[in-house]
Amino acid sequence: MTKPYDDRDGLIWLDGELVPWRSANVHILTHAMHYASSVFEGERAYGGKIFASRQHSERLIASADAIQIPSSFSVDEIEQAKRLVLQANGLVDAYVRAIIWRASGEDMGVAARRNASRMAIAAWEWGAYYGDEAKFKGARLDISRWKRPSPETIPCHAKASGLYMICTISKHDAEAKGCSDSLMMDYRGYVAEATGANIFFVKDGEIHTPLPDCFLDGITRQTVLGFLKERNVVVHERYILPAELEDFEQCWLTGTAAEVTPVGRIGDYRFEVGELTRLIARDYESKVRA
């Protein structure tokens, strides 16, 4: 049985210093706990080096800016802290979680400008997000009843904790049906993304992927688009209707946690784990371990 995340050995970087894992705590009246005023990054280290580390640190601060949380640390300081966490815990291949949040302070209503921000970085060993079998046979996805909201209602390009509420519900619903994850539509009814990963489809050797105008344009997604361009594969970034799922031959998910994971089924639609999917997964594995 996996140990709870609050009861582990190791060190966590908290506000500029390493503290014992079990002592990395916050007060019950922390603003982020009540109003979801926090942003985070999920990153992976391969061979002791975090892939696209600086891009993640820059996005973390950009996300904090988007929801008006001032960061007390610069990108360079965050980069140094992440390296320190890996070294202090003796980790080589690991998942890294950096988070900035509104702390407890003088304010405890919706507004919290007088409350300082805090930051923490933790790292731990974490295997394949959807399990090893999904890497070969493809993950199975449900179709969520929840939709990604309009950009007029949320800061959709921030990696903010509050935006994941409907993702948690969707993933729980999917797991109850024996699925690994759930595909979400956007507020217009177009295909958007999974709960924590972007999605790609293959048809007649060409790629179709949703236009990220109301959800996060993931760093792994951008990396994969670069691979496809290098291989001269035609890519269509566009609005995709749910009915089109029937016409696609292959499908895969991308994300720091998901890496490149093939999809075998979405609802009643089935996909093969084809050569192009396997090729892109190999490209990604080679890139992150270079």
Side-chain angles (χ1 to χ4, degrees):
M1 180 177 178
T2 303
K3 295 189 73 174
Y5 276 92
D6 62 349
D7 185 23
R8 298 186 175 201
D9 298 322
L11 297 166
I12 291 176
W13 184 92
L14 179 63
D15 297 326
E17 61 180 336
L18 292 170
V19 301
W21 191 287
R22 295 175 182 84
S23 300
N25 301 315
V26 298
H27 194 272
I28 194 67
L29 293 181
T30 295
H31 192 269
M33 184 179 295
H34 296 260
Y35 297 101
S37 51
S38 63
V39 296
F40 70 96
E41 283 294 318
E43 311 172 38
R44 278 193 187 268
Y46 300 87
K49 182 179 178 182
I50 299 172
F51 178 66
S53 181
R54 195 170 188 88
Q55 284 178 264
H56 281 288
S57 296
E58 291 170 346
R59 189 172 67 179
L60 179 67
I61 290 180
S63 294
D65 288 342
I67 66 170
Q68 300 178 353
I69 301 178
S71 172
S72 300
F73 298 94
S74 68
V75 169
D76 287 338
E77 289 171 326
I78 294 170
E79 287 296 290
Q80 182 178 2
K82 288 190 289 188
R83 291 191 292 269
L84 181 61
V85 167
L86 289 175
Q87 292 167 3
N89 289 286
L91 293 170
V92 177
D93 290 343
Y95 181 82
V96 180
R97 172 60 59 90
I99 182 168
I100 297 173
W101 71 94
R102 286 273 189 192
S104 54
E106 296 179 60
D107 293 323
M108 195 49 211
V110 173
R113 290 188 182 277
R114 293 182 294 177
N115 293 16
S117 68
R118 300 188 66 185
M119 182 174 176
I121 301 171
W124 60 90
E125 293 181 346
W126 201 11
Y129 185 61
Y130 296 111
D132 292 331
E133 186 174 290
K135 289 283 187 178
F136 304 98
K137 296 183 178 180
R140 180 183 174 189
L141 274 59
D142 186 29
I143 297 177
S144 177
R145 59 193 171 97
W146 296 96
K147 295 183 178 181
R148 299 309 300 163
S150 163
E152 297 175 331
T153 64
I154 60 168
C156 62
H157 298 299
K159 196 170 177 67
S161 302
L163 306 186
Y164 284 78
M165 177 178 63
I166 57 175
C167 298
T168 297
I169 300 170
S170 298
K171 193 166 173 65
H172 286 175
D173 291 345
E175 289 174 344
K177 298 178 182 178
C179 298
S180 301
D181 205 345
S182 192
L183 177 65
M184 305 182 78
M185 306 302 159
D186 70 17
Y187 65 102
R188 297 158 297 199
Y190 296 123
V191 173
E193 59 177 351
T195 61
N198 295 126
I199 194 162
F200 289 76
F201 300 98
V202 181
K203 180 181 178 181
D204 297 330
E206 298 184 352
I207 300 298
H208 301 259
T209 187
L211 191 69
D213 62 353
C214 66
F215 57 86
L216 203 65
D217 182 6
I219 291 172
T220 308
R221 179 184 186 275
Q222 296 169 34
T223 301
V224 166
L225 286 173
F227 295 152
L228 294 167
K229 183 177 181 180
E230 290 171 2
R231 292 186 173 280
N232 296 313
V233 178
V234 175
V235 176
H236 305 276
E237 291 187 77
R238 64 179 182 86
Y239 300 127
I240 298 173
L241 291 167
E244 295 182 68
L245 295 177
E246 186 176 9
D247 300 325
F248 295 128
E249 301 145 10
Q250 301 176 46
C251 176
W252 70 75
L253 299 172
T254 63
T256 297
E259 301 172 292
V260 176
T261 299
V263 173
R265 183 173 176 179
I266 302 176
D268 294 329
Y269 303 104
R270 296 181 181 273
F271 308 92
E272 64 171 326
V273 182
E275 181 55 34
L276 185 53
T277 301
R278 291 193 293 267
L279 183 63
I280 295 302
R282 289 196 296 269
D283 282 349
Y284 187 73
E285 183 70 12
S286 297
K287 177 76 171 179
V288 298
R289 295 191 179 277

